[in-house]
Amino acid sequence: MEFLAFLALGRNISCMTFQFPKLSDIPQEFSIEPIHQKEYLIDGELKTWAGDTVMVRSPIYTEENGTTKQVLMGSYPSFGKEEALEALVSCERAYDGGAGEWPQSTVEVRIKAIQKFTIMMQKERDLIIKLLMWEIGKTYKDSAKEFDRTIEYINDTISALKVGDRDASRFVFEKGIFAQIKRAPLGIVLCMGPFNYPLNETFCTLIPALAMGNTVLFKPAKFGVLLLQPLLKCFKEAFPKGVINTLYGDGASVISPIMETGKVDILAFIGSSTTANIITKKHPRLNRLRSILGLNAKNPAILLEDCDIQKSIPEILSGSLSFNGQRCTALKIIFVPEKIAKPFLVAYLSALKELKPGMPWEKDVMLTPLPEEGKTKWLTELIEDALNKGAKIQNEGGGKVQDSFMYPAVLYPISKNSRLYSEEQFGPIVPIVPYKDISETLTYIKESQFGQQASIFGKDPKVIGELTDILVNQVSRVNINAQCQRGPDIFPFTGRKDSADGTLSVSDALRAFSIRSLVAAKDDEESKQIFREILEKKTSSFISTNYIL
Ligand code: G3H
């Protein structure tokens, strides 16, 4: 299959040159001054850090006289064991075994605090969007979308919380016993988000955790730390002291001592399964620990012979390359019937040519620099491995690297023994596998260690229907003629095998961060009288028939 092979890796490529801007080329509204963050939030106080710091480098470089230089964005505190444990003590004190102000407060009070926080957060929109662009290289459009989607998620969470509380405002009578059943907090939550959605995915666990009355230890992702700094004062003012505490620095120094105490009740972590396993295993009482994990994935796109190639291309292109393929839901391997491989490649490559590389603030830009240090080198190794095993780079400039930027590499035909067949690339590489019989794709999915989602592109209802029936028992969402994705956020978002533990959606998250607890009594007059008086005199906030309007 040589028909489209352009180049071997490393040759000189003239038509695809990527240029970082000169400092003077950066538009005024997107220029940035270094932020040296000294504040951290523990026990309701914004404290000032005087110890070691972690340097923050942007994926963006600037160019002067033919030399590129990585932009230094600032720094943030690097905690040691002592500060980590101080944050834990603060969290524990605020929870106070469930007797603290926050776990004892009514749903209405918690909603008011979250609303206050949201109003304050919205005032920081422009700065947070700008920091998203500079810290992780996300385009302006996608950064704005991440911010706005997060606000929408918080508002939807508040609505779902009200629905849950209304449903629980009545008593249940059964077999001579009556009870009031509600959802109660679990305790201390350690919340850790991913660098690709450092705001949105972090808040998709942080907000429901707080909403259900837990207290939180919050460690920002490895990139996208400074963008949370403007929110520290909002947390401080909106929530009672100790309800949310920040952790900064190296995971081994900060997370290990906290987990080893055995006092964490929920680990909410979005990232790699290897890291999740390391963290979880530090907990000495695993049955106490509830894990809510969003992990690795290698979602396949399966094209069928009758698929409408032209209509499928925008979905497959955006599925494989939006945010440079750095989405857990990205299409990370594409299966194409041999018979349509050629027209598919022609159409995909022609659409790819239209994707604009550049800086996150440029209009219509789609391909941007990557935030992970050493990532382009690692991706190049994956490409070299595939080339050694028979694949060819199909697009001009594919895999070309300039500092932190890699132009997407479309690789075909990918063989079963190449690393890209099974490893998650989480970057701008598009591995394409030709197949003769559909059973080859099903074997791939069955044998994969991942099980998040899959996409089918085709027309025949019989084939699609039968394929769906098998796939729904292998992955957690099957997308028909559409790319894989998390949203809309009211849909359950989860995965099988090594892709997730627990389910997130607006309402599922509220369930995940709470446990049902009930108060029950014999259905006799004496018990009823006690309950009547509790309700009349409002001596309990749990035993209550208040209905939130
Ligand atoms: O990185 C994983 C995200 O949950 C994907 O979300 O499908 O909305 O980009 P998305």
Side-chain angles (χ1 to χ4, degrees), residues 149 196-197 201 327-329 485-487 493:
R149 181 181 175 183
N196 63 335
Y197 280 95
E201 291 234 301
R327 291 163 58 231
C328 62
T329 48
Q485 59 181 325
R486 175 184 173 132
F493 179 57

Side-chain angles (χ1 to χ4, degrees), residues 138 145 149 194 196-197 200-201 270 295 322 326-330 332 426 452-453 483-487 489 493:
K138 194 169 267 194
K145 194 165 140 198
R149 181 181 175 183
N196 63 335
Y197 280 95
N200 181 263
E201 291 234 301
I270 320 264
L295 306 171
S322 55
Q326 299 168 115
R327 291 163 58 231
C328 62
T329 48
K332 297 195 180 102
F426 212 78
Q452 192 197 61
Q453 300 189 18
Q483 61 173 298
C484 299
Q485 59 181 325
R486 175 184 173 132
D489 286 325
F493 179 57

Side-chain angles (χ1 to χ4, degrees), residues 114 117-118 121-122 128 146-147 149-154 157 191-194 197-211 218 220 224 227-232 234-235 239 244 268 270 486 504-506 509-510 513:
I114 296 170
F117 171 78
T118 314
M121 175 175 166
Q122 273 167 305
I128 291 174
E146 177 163 350
F147 186 93
R149 181 181 175 183
T150 306
I151 297 290
E152 199 182 323
Y153 190 93
I154 299 175
T157 298
C191 211
M192 300 170 73
Y197 280 95
L199 181 73
N200 181 263
E201 291 234 301
T202 309
F203 275 49
C204 286
T205 59
L206 181 77
I207 295 296
L210 290 169
F218 166 40
L227 65 93
L228 296 159
Q229 188 243 6
L231 299 179
L232 295 185
C234 313
F235 284 132
F239 296 99
I244 174 151
I270 320 264
R486 175 184 173 132
L504 291 173
S505 75
V506 169
L510 293 174
F513 287 98

Side-chain angles (χ1 to χ4, degrees), residues 21 26 42 56 116 163 173 222 250 328 363 390 404 446 502 535:
I26 300 170
I42 289 185
V56 181
K116 181 174 177 185
V163 171
F173 292 79
K222 60 179 171 178
D250 169 56
C328 62
K363 192 169 179 295
S404 56
K446 197 160 82 183
L535 292 173

Side-chain angles (χ1 to χ4, degrees), residues 101-153:
E101 178 187 346
W102 187 246
Q104 283 292 316
S105 60
T106 61
V107 165
E108 267 171 314
V109 167
R110 283 188 224 141
I111 287 176
K112 279 203 182 101
I114 296 170
Q115 281 169 332
K116 181 174 177 185
F117 171 78
T118 314
I119 290 168
M120 294 177 79
M121 175 175 166
Q122 273 167 305
K123 295 190 180 133
E124 306 296 336
R125 184 179 184 272
D126 291 350
L127 177 58
I128 291 174
I129 290 173
K130 195 153 80 168
L131 287 166
L132 269 166
M133 294 159 67
W134 277 94
E135 281 191 273
I136 61 164
K138 194 169 267 194
T139 63
Y140 172 78
K141 193 171 150 219
D142 284 348
S143 298
K145 194 165 140 198
E146 177 163 350
F147 186 93
D148 297 337
R149 181 181 175 183
T150 306
I151 297 290
E152 199 182 323
Y153 190 93

